[in-house]
Amino acid sequence: EKDRAIRTRQMKNFVTELEDAERALELRDLERVECDRYYRDLINCEESLNQAQQDKVNNEAPSSHTVKQLSDHVRALQNQGKMKEAMLEEMGFTLNDAKKEIQSWKVKAESLVEKVNFRSRRDVLKQYGPGPHYVQIALSQEETILLKMAPLDLMSH
């Protein structure tokens, strides 16, 4: 019973850590989407700036004020993108690393479940034999019900 309680506690801890890793992964996904949006904005601004420069070359130049605004906007977006990338790097995980970590925890959890199943089956066989197993339930002093339990192969643990 003590081992079973320890294994149950360990499994709960693994599940909690897995859920935490999944939440961190979702947060990084949201930040990646935001970085992607800033990057697309940056590309659009660069294209606008290039177009404005091309128009200027073609003597259809917009005012120098508009070009300066576009240049300032491009620099601001570049700075924002760099800041977001730095934030993601500070987190220490890439999306790929987080997925690998989640997969590792899933494998560990599955291994624990298999161990618990094996030990539970072994303990039942040791204590009660191979079966079939029956449980008698007393409804009152005169009435009882005899239930046949499912085979051990169908029981999770």
Side-chain angles (χ1 to χ4, degrees):
E1 277 301 308
K2 186 177 179 181
D3 287 340
R4 184 174 286 162
I6 289 170
R7 287 189 300 268
T8 302
R9 212 171 319 124
Q10 287 173 337
M11 285 179 59
K12 287 181 182 177
N13 288 340
F14 284 133
V15 168
T16 301
E17 289 180 25
L18 180 61
E19 289 170 349
D20 290 344
E22 287 175 340
R23 279 192 292 275
L25 180 61
E26 288 175 11
L27 178 62
R28 284 188 293 280
D29 286 345
L30 291 174
E31 289 175 343
R32 178 64 68 190
V33 166
E34 189 175 356
C35 282
D36 289 344
R37 194 182 83 234
Y38 285 131
Y39 180 74
R40 283 191 303 276
D41 288 347
L42 175 63
I43 296 298
N44 289 337
C45 282
E46 286 177 329
E47 288 173 358
S48 296
L49 182 59
N50 289 338
Q51 183 63 44
Q53 288 173 340
Q54 185 63 36
D55 290 346
K56 186 174 185 178
V57 168
N58 293 335
N59 290 329
E60 298 171 8
S63 70
S64 61
H65 179 68
T66 304
V67 172
K68 184 180 178 340
Q69 284 179 326
L70 287 172
S71 296
D72 291 344
H73 191 63
V74 166
R75 275 192 293 282
L77 286 172
Q78 285 173 333
N79 290 337
Q80 284 179 346
K82 287 176 185 174
M83 286 178 12
K84 290 293 180 177
E85 280 298 321
M87 252 176 49
L88 287 172
E89 287 176 23
E90 281 180 25
M91 292 176 71
F93 286 108
T94 62
L95 182 62
N96 219 9
D97 291 338
K99 286 180 180 179
K100 287 178 185 175
E101 185 176 350
I102 288 172
Q103 184 60 33
S104 171
W105 282 112
K106 284 181 181 179
V107 168
K108 288 178 184 178
E110 289 169 2
S111 174
L112 279 175
V113 168
E114 288 175 15
K115 288 177 184 177
V116 168
N117 287 344
F118 172 78
R119 290 179 181 163
S120 296
R121 180 177 173 79
R122 182 191 62 198
D123 292 347
V124 168
L125 290 172
K126 183 178 177 182
Q127 188 167 356
Y128 300 106
H133 300 102
Y134 295 89
V135 174
Q136 187 172 8
I137 301 174
L139 300 175
S140 67
Q141 289 183 348
E142 295 107 23
E143 287 185 274
T144 60
I145 296 176
L146 185 63
L147 299 174
K148 183 177 180 180
M149 303 303 291
L152 291 178
D153 294 341
L154 297 178
M155 300 300 286
S156 60
H157 67 277

